[in-house]
Amino acid sequence: MILGLPASVVLAVFGNLWPAVGGEAKNEGTVVVYSSLDREFSDPVLKDLAKGVGITLRPKYDVESTKTVGLVNTIIAESVRPRCDLFWNNEILNTIRLKRKGLLQPFHPSHADAAPATFKDPDGMWYGFAGRARILIVNTKLVPASDRPKGIADLADPRWKGKIGIAKPLFGTTATHAACLFAAWGDDKAKAYYQSLKANGVQVLSGNKQVATAVSSGQLAFGLTDTDDAMGELDAGAPVAIVYPDREPGQLGTLFIPNTLVMLKGAPHPEAAKLLADAILSPAVEDRLADGPSAQIPLLKGARKPARVETPATVHAMPADFQAAADAWDRTAAFLAREFAD
């Protein structure tokens, strides 16, 4: 079942959006890429790489309101007749879930050894690159420096009731963050935390970008988002600051989440997909993403551009167990769907 409908029904709906793959699989000059990283960041990279390796790119991008989950549901629905070759996911939780469903195939890009062991699958099913931090973005006009939050618990501080925000916690990196908290804290503490946010009038917006812009405009005093969205507001000259939550040793730590790249089982254009995968998972792409507007954090050995944001080298990182987070996801999602149904 996907989005409450049988997979066959969803496939029939989505199938109308794509030309039939039959007869096209021999065209190894084509690669179908699904990407949940913001289109403004991933599209220029993919187009340049496709041109560089001499293939025709057919991209499909997620929308902010269903970030990652929309494409994951499409991949699941299409599993009886795969149409996607590569999935560039902006997080890791749903990548692990796709592996567990048996929908991925191993591949070995030339820079596979450059990825840290923490951020790659031991079976070669997925590779992490270009990370982002989960941070608090603060409006400096509304929140004096002396009152700035220091951790995610400050979202429940009654002083800021109704003036704090998060993205809907069922999608994207916000969902990954929630599952990591359930895995790290246990269900009872994690549930109490999210209930405390609800009691404090947390505004639940459609995506992390919307949280960042709401803080920038003064609609919110501060909120939880990703570094790429926060950096967009900083670079635009907005009155905001970034706080890396719980960053000191002995505290929970700041959560860092990588992008991930996978090849789908039954990919219709496997040879061309391997060429493009090699190009995506490379220090050169990490350098470009680090230096660009999304300010991603290089993870691969060999990347040369310094990060424009803080990294686990300067901030205590949350020791996230992404496998445990994937284990916790079904019960996490069921709870959060009930709490934040509206």
Side-chain angles (χ1 to χ4, degrees), residues 29 107 110 183 234:
F107 66 112
S110 57
L234 270 176

Side-chain angles (χ1 to χ4, degrees), residues 93 134 169-170 172-185 190 193-194 224 255 257 318 325 328-329 332-333 336:
L93 178 67
R134 293 286 295 163
L170 293 172
T173 53
T174 312
T176 299
H177 199 169
C180 285
L181 292 177
F182 269 72
W185 282 344
Y193 172 70
Y194 281 99
L224 190 61
L255 181 61
I257 299 175
M318 180 180 173
W329 173 243
T332 300
L336 293 173

Side-chain angles (χ1 to χ4, degrees), residues 16-17 60 76 98 100 116 119 227 236 245:
N16 293 330
L17 301 178
K60 183 179 180 68
I76 295 170
L98 287 174
R100 293 181 176 185
F119 294 136
T227 42

Side-chain angles (χ1 to χ4, degrees), residues 7 44 84 124 267 313:
C84 175

Side-chain angles (χ1 to χ4, degrees), residues 2-320:
I2 304 167
L3 296 176
L5 297 173
S8 59
V9 174
V10 179
L11 178 60
V13 173
F14 282 109
N16 293 330
L17 301 178
W18 289 86
V21 174
E24 188 180 289
K26 294 181 180 179
N27 180 7
E28 279 294 351
T30 296
V31 177
V32 178
V33 180
Y34 292 176
S35 175
S36 63
L37 181 66
D38 291 347
R39 182 171 185 168
E40 63 191 284
F41 304 143
S42 58
D43 186 65
V45 172
L46 287 171
K47 285 181 176 176
D48 286 349
L49 294 179
K51 183 178 180 181
V53 299
I55 57 107
T56 299
L57 178 72
R58 289 183 59 202
K60 183 179 180 68
Y61 299 97
D62 227 330
V63 296
E64 188 71 26
S65 61
T66 59
K67 186 58 69 73
T68 301
V69 175
L71 288 179
V72 168
N73 281 337
T74 302
I75 288 169
I76 295 170
E78 293 174 347
S79 62
V80 294
R81 189 179 61 172
R83 302 179 180 193
C84 175
D85 295 298
L86 300 175
F87 178 32
W88 177 346
N89 190 3
N90 79 328
E91 52 88 42
I92 189 170
L93 178 67
N94 280 289
T95 294
I96 294 172
R97 294 178 67 228
L98 287 174
K99 179 192 174 181
R100 293 181 176 185
K101 288 180 178 292
L103 300 183
L104 308 182
Q105 65 172 306
F107 66 112
H108 302 283
S110 57
H111 292 283
D113 291 342
T118 307
F119 294 136
K120 66 181 174 184
D121 180 58
D123 300 318
M125 297 287 192
W126 56 263
Y127 298 89
F129 67 107
R132 294 173 329 288
R134 293 286 295 163
I135 54 86
L136 295 169
I137 182 171
V138 183
N139 185 296
T140 55
K141 290 185 176 180
L142 297 177
V143 185
S146 60
D147 289 339
R148 286 181 189 172
K150 292 181 170 53
I152 61 172
D154 291 319
L155 288 161
D157 188 332
R159 289 185 300 169
W160 308 109
K161 187 169 186 176
K163 295 293 287 181
I164 39 90
I166 61 172
K168 194 164 187 178
L170 293 172
F171 309 111
T173 53
T174 312
T176 299
H177 199 169
C180 285
L181 292 177
F182 269 72
W185 282 344
D187 290 19
D188 290 345
K189 183 175 179 179
K191 287 178 179 179
Y193 172 70
Y194 281 99
Q195 287 169 337
S196 72
L197 299 191
K198 187 176 179 181
N200 206 35
V202 67
Q203 294 189 34
V204 180
L205 304 183
S206 60
N208 289 307
K209 186 178 182 66
Q210 284 69 32
V211 172
T213 56
V215 172
S216 174
S217 68
Q219 176 186 337
L220 299 175
F222 63 91
L224 190 61
T225 188
D226 295 333
T227 42
D228 57 345
D229 295 304
M231 286 297 292
E233 300 305 311
L234 270 176
D235 288 344
V240 297
I242 292 175
V243 172
Y244 294 80
D246 308 295
R247 60 178 292 164
E248 300 300 331
Q251 296 181 324
L252 176 67
T254 296
L255 181 61
F256 290 86
I257 299 175
N259 284 263
T260 49
L261 184 67
V262 305
M263 183 178 294
L264 276 298
K265 186 176 181 179
H269 315 100
E271 296 308 314
K274 289 175 185 176
L275 289 176
L276 186 58
D278 256 13
I280 295 171
L281 195 79
S282 68
V285 165
E286 286 210 311
D287 285 344
R288 178 171 177 175
L289 293 172
D291 202 37
S294 62
Q296 310 270 320
I297 300 167
L299 300 178
L300 303 179
K301 298 174 185 175
R304 297 180 179 181
K305 290 286 184 180
R308 296 201 294 128
V309 296
E310 294 208 56
T311 75
T314 57
V315 172
H316 170 55
M318 180 180 173

